[in-house]
Amino acid sequence: MKYTNPIISGFHPDPSICKVGEDFYLVTSSFEYFPGVPIFHSKDLVNWKQIGHCLTRESQLPLHQAKSSMGIFAPTIRYNNGRFYMITTNLTIGKNFFVWTDNPKGPWSEPIFLDWPGIDPSLLFDEDGKVYLSGTQDIFSGEPMGIYQAEMDMETGNLLSERRLIWEGTGGAHPEGPHLYNINGTYYLLIAEGGTEYGHMVTMARSQQPFGPFESHPNNPILTHRSSSKPIQATGHADFIQYTDGSWWTVCLGIRPAPIPFSGKHHHLGRETFLAPVEWNEDGWPTIGGPIELEMDGKSLPIEERVQWKVKDDFDGSTLDFPWSFLRNPNKDSWSLSDRPGYLTLYGSSIRLDDLDSPSFVGRRQQHFDCNISTLLEFSPTEEGEEAGLTLFMNERFHYEIAVGIRDGVKKVFIRRRIGSLWKVESEYEYAQDAIILSVQADAKNYTFSYQQPDGESITLGSGECSLLSTEVAGGFTGVFFGLYATGNGRHATTPAYFDWFEYRL
C-alpha cells in the first residue's frame, strides 16, 4: 500500500522516534513556541496523532524574550525500563537537559540540567546498562567541529567519563543531530551534515566500540536531495527505527518548496517530517533506497485509515486542543476559555506582534499549501490602537494581518503587512458591527484576505505573496502560523476579543 509524505506536515522538524511494544512515539523541535516539544503516537509509522507536549510548564521551558528560532532545538526521545526520556537544548538559556515520564501523554518531570555544551543531545541506553550522551562541539570554547560523547548517570545527569570527540563527519558543514545505536553488537552513528538548508544530508559511521574509532559509510551521504529538482528538498537530521516485523525505517526532516514554476525556491510551511524505508546490504551497512518521494511504497507496513481532518474548533473545551501554541511563555491573564464559555477570549496587552515578547496570541501551524481558514470574531474596541484579528505569522519582522481595530478614531477592518523594515496598512474600511468573519484563502503562491458579516456576502480586501513569509526571505527555522491575536499597540487594551470558532478547511 502507498503512503504520502510528509507524514507530519507543517513546521515539525528534527524528528526523533522510539518504539514501545507495538506503539511508536515521535517528537519534534518547537523553538520559541509554547508548550514545547509536541509528541505524537502511531501504530503504523504513517498515521500520527498528537497526544500532548513534553514541556508544558514555564519551569520546564523558560522562553522569556526568546529570539525567533531560538528556544528548543532537536529533541531526542528514548525509552528504557518502563520510562520515557526526552533530551534537548534550550538555546534561550544555553542549557542542555532531559525530562522523563512513565506516561508519554505526561506530565513530564522537571528538567535535569547537564554540564554539557553544544546542541542536539542524544542518548543510547546500551545493553550492559551504560548510557551514552552524544552531542556537538562547544562553539564558544573553540572545540573542533564534530560529534562528542561521554558516559552519563541518568539519575543525576553527571558524566561518568571524559568528553571525547568520536567522529568529525565526512567534511560537510555543521556535523550535528547525532544518534548512536547498538545493532547486533555494532555501534552505528547517524548524523546530519551540510546545514539544515538545501545542502542538508545524512551520513553514517560504525565501530565495534561506543567511543570508536568509527569508519565512514562507503556510500556517504546515505541520504541527500542536494543539487536535485525533487519536490522535497533539504532532507536530513534522521533517526532510525525498527518496525515490529523486523523492517527498518527512517524519519527525517525535509522541506517542500512552493510548487510554482519559474519562481525560484521558497518554502513557508517550515521543515516537515518524512518517512522512508531502510535496507541493509551484505556488508552490514544500512542504505536508504533512493530519494524520498511524495508518494512511497509502504511495503509491509499495515497502514491504517487516515484520521479525518478536524475542520472546526468551537473552543468548547476547558483546554486548548494540542495543535494550538503560544508565542513564548504566555501571560496567564492574556487568554481564557472560561471567562465566556464557548469562546476563546484574548485580552490585548501593550505588546505588539512586532515585539520580541509574548503578545496575546494563540496560533497553529499552517500545514497545507491550499487551505481556507476563518474565524468569527466579536470585538467592540473603544480606544485608539486597540485591534484583534487573524495573523499569518512567520516571526516578529515578517507577518500579515486581517484585523479589526480603532484607527483615527473609527472602527475599521483592515489588512496589514510587515516585511522586514517595510510596514504597511492597506485596504481599510469602516465596520460598525460587533461580529465579523475574517478569512484567508491560501494557495502555494498567495494569501487572499476577506471578511463578511455573519449573514452577509464575503468582501475581498487584498492579497499577499506567500514567498515573503518564506524562510528564504524571513530567515529562521520555523514555519507560518495561523494566529488569533489581540493588542493595544503600546498600551493595555480595554476591550476583550471573543473568538467564537476557528475553521481550517482543505
Side-chain angles (χ1 to χ4, degrees):
M1 184 179 295
K2 301 286 187 180
Y3 70 89
T4 301
N5 270 315
I7 53 170
I8 306 178
S9 60
F11 158 55
H12 291 103
D14 308 321
S16 177
I17 190 171
C18 73
K19 174 178 176 286
V20 183
E22 296 183 351
D23 297 282
F24 297 86
Y25 300 91
L26 184 149
V27 294
T28 64
S29 295
S30 51
F31 293 88
E32 71 266 33
Y33 289 93
F34 184 92
V37 188
I39 180 168
F40 300 84
H41 169 261
S42 177
K43 288 281 192 179
D44 62 4
L45 296 182
V46 172
N47 296 290
W48 293 87
K49 179 181 179 181
Q50 188 173 353
I51 59 172
H53 294 83
C54 298
L55 306 175
T56 58
R57 306 184 295 278
E58 188 171 353
S59 60
Q60 298 170 309
L61 182 55
L63 291 171
H64 180 63
Q65 293 186 336
K67 294 181 180 178
S68 294
S69 291
M70 297 297 282
I72 292 296
F73 275 42
T76 292
I77 187 169
R78 294 293 183 257
Y79 177 81
N80 185 61
N81 289 335
R83 182 172 286 182
F84 294 85
Y85 297 86
M86 190 282 297
I87 187 168
T88 189
T89 311
N90 184 345
L91 261 291
T92 297
I93 60 174
K95 293 183 178 180
N96 289 296
F97 67 94
F98 69 86
V99 292
W100 60 267
T101 186
D102 297 327
N103 184 346
K105 295 181 180 180
W108 292 67
S109 72
E110 288 299 299
I112 297 177
F113 291 103
L114 309 176
D115 183 15
W116 183 259
I119 61 171
D120 299 1
S122 183
L123 297 171
L124 168 65
F125 292 89
D126 211 351
E127 296 172 351
D128 60 3
K130 293 182 178 181
V131 181
Y132 297 99
L133 168 64
S134 306
T136 69
Q137 72 284 343
D138 180 2
I139 61 173
F140 300 107
S141 70
E143 281 184 334
M145 295 186 69
I147 304 304
Y148 289 76
Q149 189 164 282
E151 187 182 345
M152 188 174 74
D153 182 342
M154 288 303 297
E155 294 299 319
T156 65
N158 294 332
L159 300 186
L160 300 177
S161 71
E162 65 175 336
R163 172 182 167 88
R164 295 168 56 181
L165 174 64
I166 60 170
W167 195 42
E168 296 179 338
T170 64
H174 308 297
E176 59 191 8
H179 293 307
L180 183 68
Y181 314 92
N182 180 346
I183 302 174
N184 298 325
T186 298
Y187 293 88
Y188 292 87
L189 179 60
L190 188 72
I191 75 169
E193 296 186 59
T196 187
E197 294 95 20
Y198 289 91
H200 212 22
M201 56 184 174
V202 177
T203 60
M204 174 170 271
R206 71 182 180 187
S207 173
Q208 296 306 306
Q209 303 294 331
F211 286 99
F214 282 87
E215 66 168 315
S216 181
H217 194 302
N219 295 320
N220 273 327
I222 62 172
L223 172 65
T224 187
H225 283 199
R226 62 188 180 184
S227 301
S228 78
S229 58
K230 291 292 182 181
I232 302 167
Q233 292 287 313
T235 51
H237 203 113
D239 199 3
F240 278 10
I241 196 70
Q242 188 174 23
Y243 193 65
T244 53
D245 65 357
S247 62
W248 284 84
W249 297 80
T250 184
V251 291
C252 69
L253 69 79
I255 62 174
R256 288 180 293 162
I260 306 172
F262 312 113
S263 63
K265 290 181 178 179
H266 293 89
H267 74 283
H268 57 280
L269 300 186
R271 298 171 300 158
E272 306 173 294
T273 292
F274 295 80
L275 177 72
V278 174
E279 304 291 342
W280 294 82
N281 66 23
E282 59 184 12
D283 295 323
W285 286 108
T287 60
I288 299 174
I292 298 177
E293 305 288 355
L294 293 174
E295 185 177 82
M296 298 192 70
D297 184 357
K299 298 182 181 295
S300 60
L301 295 179
I303 299 174
E304 300 177 347
E305 185 177 350
R306 183 178 293 273
V307 176
Q308 187 174 2
W309 180 257
K310 182 178 180 180
V311 172
K312 191 174 186 179
D313 192 332
D314 286 309
F315 300 120
D316 289 334
S318 60
T319 59
L320 288 168
D321 285 351
F322 294 135
W324 293 104
S325 296
F326 300 97
L327 188 54
R328 306 179 183 88
N329 301 124
N331 182 330
K332 62 181 179 60
D333 297 323
S334 68
W335 71 283
S336 174
L337 289 172
S338 60
D339 288 358
R340 185 179 177 184
Y343 289 77
L344 169 65
T345 302
L346 294 183
Y347 297 95
S349 70
S350 61
I351 300 169
R352 306 167 303 165
L353 293 174
D354 296 336
D355 296 332
L356 200 66
D357 212 320
S358 301
S360 299
F361 168 101
V362 178
R364 57 168 300 163
R365 293 156 174 82
Q366 180 180 355
Q367 295 182 257
H368 309 85
F369 289 118
D370 297 294
C371 58
N372 290 275
I373 61 167
S374 56
T375 187
L376 174 56
L377 168 65
E378 294 184 18
F379 185 49
S380 304
T382 59
E383 301 293 332
E384 187 72 25
E386 290 185 343
E387 67 178 68
L390 185 60
T391 179
L392 279 58
F393 190 86
M394 184 60 154
N395 58 45
E396 74 278 358
R397 298 183 68 248
F398 292 85
H399 51 88
Y400 296 140
E401 283 79 57
I402 177 169
V404 174
I406 299 295
R407 301 184 56 78
D408 301 322
V410 179
K411 183 180 178 184
K412 298 178 180 180
V413 58
F414 60 90
I415 59 174
R416 177 178 58 217
R417 64 180 74 206
R418 167 74 191 272
I419 305 297
S421 62
L422 302 177
W423 187 95
K424 184 182 180 183
V425 174
E426 52 193 40
S427 301
E428 55 181 4
Y429 297 93
E430 291 188 22
Y431 188 87
Q433 304 299 316
D434 290 336
I436 188 171
I437 297 175
L438 305 174
S439 301
V440 178
Q441 180 177 349
D443 59 31
K445 187 175 182 180
N446 291 310
Y447 298 111
T448 301
F449 302 90
S450 61
Y451 75 95
Q452 66 184 93
Q453 294 183 17
D455 297 321
E457 294 183 0
S458 178
I459 299 172
T460 299
L461 288 181
S463 64
E465 303 94 324
C466 301
S467 62
L468 295 181
L469 300 187
S470 68
T471 296
E472 288 78 4
V473 175
F477 303 123
T478 60
V480 171
F481 272 67
F482 296 141
L484 309 176
Y485 80 99
T487 180
N489 281 307
R491 58 184 179 182
H492 186 77
T494 60
T495 308
Y498 301 107
F499 294 90
D500 186 13
W501 47 258
F502 177 90
E503 286 190 349
Y504 185 141
R505 294 188 176 274
L506 305 181

